Amino acid sequence: MKFSITIPTYKSRYLKEAIESVVSQTYTDWELIIVDDCSPEDLPSIVQPFLTDSRIRFYRNEKNCGAVNVVDNWNICLGYCTGDYVICMGDDDRLLPCCLVEYKKLILDHPGLNVYHTRTEIINEEGEIIDLQEPRPEWESVISLIWNRWDHRNKQFIGDFCYATDYLKSVGGYHKLPLAWGSDDITAVKAAKEHGIANTQVFGFQYRQHSRSITCSSEHARIKLEATTTQYKWFGDLLKELSATSLSEEDARLLSTIGNPRRDYYFNSLGKDCTDYIKGHPLRLLECYRLLKPVHFSPLAFMKWYVSSIYHCLF
């Protein structure tokens, strides 16, 4: 069983740590694909010392995909993969040494799935653990995966997931949304739709949270608004499709009540994005109303976000 780990990279600060975390795996049948997205930083000097290991390959894009189209680089990485399973990690994240061996155990216990998941430690810029991802069932259906994401606000990141490579290539790769805003959610749900998802009970991944990440930047607030609205509509179509299929009693129960968690989850997400976009620009409220009209939130919700944006400007 061979794993492909991919690092679509642009930033140099933590890249060496990311590579070392792969080299330190206790399971040794892996390949590491690093793709430099035409970065102005000196990434080759960081990667070069590791290329004596034949399992590591380094490529550089001729043109920069950029932050908005970052999923394109994820899929460029995927195109180079030859392993049975693939993990896409950020250039500032780390795999824990047990990650691949735990995935192998999980795959042997639950063969034939398209997607698997490991627990995550959330770390800060210094590598200190600041939060822990919630535990999940060893196996769950796609409806359970969606429910827990919305109702319990389960945290997840692209590096949490391990996909069957052939499956992921067959569906065109990771689902593309601007800034990858929700790409991890939709990609995982698509993969779990038919056979569900298996989850390790062991921490195998570390996601680094810091101010320079795309997801923490307010400059992309309008793009996030559009991407979040797209997610809301995409999941609405999926739920209609699932409701027409034969479901277990538990899945039918979850599906019958999933509307409120979905609405609450996206109300909070859209509210934050809307507040970030309006901040300092009150007239943008009208544009927000236009952008979010397909989601059918009430005028009261927009007023709440408007007042919130003013509060954040003042304080």
Side-chain angles (χ1 to χ4, degrees):
M1 185 185 299
K2 180 179 177 181
F3 291 91
S4 296
I5 299 97
T6 68
I7 304 179
T9 183
Y10 187 78
K11 304 182 297 293
S12 62
R13 182 176 180 185
Y14 299 107
L15 180 57
K16 185 172 184 285
E17 283 187 48
I19 297 170
E20 287 175 340
S21 77
V22 177
V23 174
S24 299
Q25 290 300 297
T26 56
Y27 184 81
T28 58
D29 194 0
W30 51 262
E31 64 177 3
L32 174 59
I33 310 296
I34 306 167
V35 178
D36 173 355
D37 191 21
C38 203
S39 173
E41 300 182 25
D42 186 11
L43 304 187
S45 67
I46 297 172
V47 178
Q48 192 64 41
F50 293 97
L51 296 181
T52 55
D53 188 328
S54 61
R55 297 172 296 179
I56 301 175
R57 304 202 303 279
F58 180 56
Y59 304 91
R60 178 176 168 87
N61 294 335
E62 292 184 2
K63 295 182 179 180
N64 173 246
C65 297
V68 173
N69 297 305
V70 67
V71 178
D72 287 345
N73 203 27
W74 296 4
N75 286 324
I76 289 170
C77 289
L78 177 64
Y80 291 120
C81 292
T82 63
D84 303 297
Y85 297 92
V86 58
I87 299 165
C88 179
M89 62 184 289
D91 59 11
D92 47 8
D93 300 330
R94 301 189 298 211
L95 300 185
L96 291 169
C98 65
C99 182
L100 298 185
V101 72
E102 291 297 329
Y103 266 133
K104 181 181 179 182
K105 293 176 185 176
L106 190 66
I107 292 167
L108 292 176
D109 287 341
H110 299 274
L113 306 187
N114 294 323
V115 59
Y116 301 85
H117 178 266
T118 188
R119 285 190 74 185
T120 292
E121 296 173 344
I122 300 169
I123 59 175
N124 61 16
E125 296 185 13
E126 288 72 41
E128 301 165 332
I129 299 172
I130 56 174
D131 200 1
L132 299 175
Q133 194 179 58
E134 307 80 2
R136 304 185 180 195
E138 184 166 323
W139 179 91
E140 61 183 328
S141 69
V142 66
I143 293 176
S144 173
L145 174 65
I146 296 169
W147 171 271
N148 285 315
R149 175 67 163 149
W150 292 345
D151 190 60
H152 299 311
R153 302 295 197 271
N154 277 359
K155 296 177 286 292
Q156 59 191 40
F157 313 95
I158 190 61
D160 294 348
F161 296 99
C162 176
Y163 293 94
T165 306
D166 287 346
Y167 157 77
L168 198 54
K169 288 183 176 181
S170 74
V171 297
Y174 298 96
H175 188 93
K176 183 178 177 180
L177 286 170
L179 298 171
W181 200 243
S183 293
D184 49 352
D185 284 2
I186 291 181
T187 302
V189 165
K190 286 166 65 175
K193 182 179 173 184
E194 187 175 356
H195 303 299
I197 180 172
N199 303 291
T200 68
Q201 306 306 305
V202 177
F203 291 99
F205 180 68
Q206 291 183 323
Y207 171 79
R208 194 183 303 270
Q209 184 172 293
H210 58 86
S211 58
R212 285 174 293 280
S213 68
I214 291 173
T215 55
C216 291
S217 172
S218 61
E219 68 184 80
H220 295 119
R222 187 185 189 281
I223 299 172
K224 293 176 183 177
L225 270 172
E226 294 175 333
T228 305
T229 303
T230 299
Q231 291 175 60
Y232 185 87
K233 293 188 289 186
W234 187 91
F235 275 106
D237 292 340
L238 176 68
L239 295 177
K240 289 178 183 177
E241 180 184 344
L242 291 173
S243 67
T245 62
S246 178
L247 300 173
S248 69
E249 183 176 339
E250 175 62 12
D251 278 351
R253 184 189 68 80
L254 290 177
L255 189 59
S256 69
T257 59
I258 209 166
N260 288 336
R262 172 185 174 228
R263 194 170 183 83
D264 291 346
Y265 177 84
Y266 281 104
F267 180 91
N268 290 333
S269 295
L270 290 166
K272 182 181 184 306
D273 297 341
C274 189
T275 298
D276 287 344
Y277 184 55
I278 297 171
K279 193 182 300 181
H281 304 275
L283 294 180
R284 287 181 177 176
L285 182 69
L286 298 176
E287 187 177 2
C288 282
Y289 185 85
R290 180 184 64 80
L291 289 170
L292 273 63
K293 195 172 181 180
V295 182
H296 304 299
F297 285 130
S298 69
L300 182 62
F302 289 96
M303 290 308 300
K304 177 181 178 181
W305 295 332
Y306 178 71
V307 172
S308 177
S309 69
I310 294 175
Y311 177 85
H312 282 89
C313 285
L314 294 175
F315 302 99

